[in-house]
Amino acid sequence: MMGTAGNAACRNSTPRARAGLASVVRNVRNGYVSLYTDEFLAASTEGRYRYMRMLGHIPMVLAEDPRRVLVMAFGTGTTAGSLSVHPSVERLDMVEISREVLEVAPRFASVNRGVVERAGRPGRPEVRTFVDDARRFVLSSRD
């Protein structure tokens, strides 16, 4: 039985990037790229997902002194990419439960600003990635 991602892959250009939890499908006609997790459309570079940028920008404007930020559930990385451009951010931590989602992140560089590739490299902000359940991560954090 073929699920949603499988059907979309048949109509579009790019087959699954990796068998498992995460799949990437490129729409040839419109040029956008979509992320499927467990055959569910999780996010996309399509215009209707622009709100994800605001999920990063709005808290930065409202926070008093936003130096350390945490993104739970990386997805395409649009929110993390938005956070990474704020000059006040010293450290950006990203927690994603699926290693496969982080592995396909370079396919979404147009919206995530290559933030995963910056993890562990010198620069500002310091970027760290964690493969973990976000709730467990927060409960065990010392920050």
Side-chain angles (χ1 to χ4, degrees), residues 94-110:
M94 303 173 299
V95 181
E96 171 58 52
I97 199 165
S98 169
R99 182 174 309 282
E100 288 90 355
V101 168
L102 294 173
E103 289 172 357
V104 299
R107 302 241 184 149
F108 298 95
S110 67

Side-chain angles (χ1 to χ4, degrees), residues 2-141:
M2 191 175 285
T4 306
N7 291 335
C10 290
R11 290 189 307 271
N12 295 303
S13 73
T14 306
R16 294 170 188 253
R18 177 180 173 93
L21 297 177
S23 301
V24 176
V25 175
R26 179 173 181 77
N27 183 304
V28 178
R29 185 180 53 229
N30 299 323
Y32 61 82
V33 182
S34 300
L35 172 69
Y36 288 83
T37 56
D38 290 327
E39 299 187 4
F40 168 78
L41 176 59
S44 176
T45 59
E46 188 179 4
R48 65 183 166 148
Y49 290 94
R50 282 185 230 149
Y51 74 91
M52 291 184 171
R53 278 186 255 159
M54 292 300 107
L55 293 176
H57 293 308
I58 291 171
M60 293 301 294
V61 172
L62 298 175
E64 193 170 307
D65 188 21
R67 293 180 289 152
R68 295 178 301 158
V69 296
L70 170 65
V71 173
M72 298 182 284
F74 183 80
T76 61
T78 304
T79 303
S82 296
L83 289 164
S84 74
V85 300
H86 286 271
S88 64
V89 176
E90 295 172 358
R91 188 176 80 202
L92 171 59
D93 289 340
M94 303 173 299
V95 181
E96 171 58 52
I97 199 165
S98 169
R99 182 174 309 282
E100 288 90 355
V101 168
L102 294 173
E103 289 172 357
V104 299
R107 302 241 184 149
F108 298 95
S110 67
V111 293
N112 68 31
R113 303 174 192 265
V115 72
V116 169
E117 291 80 22
R118 296 185 342 225
R121 294 184 179 168
R124 187 167 170 150
E126 174 189 4
V127 177
R128 305 185 313 172
T129 59
F130 301 89
V131 177
D132 198 354
D133 175 82
R135 181 176 183 273
R136 180 176 39 236
F137 179 86
V138 170
L139 291 173
S140 65
S141 176

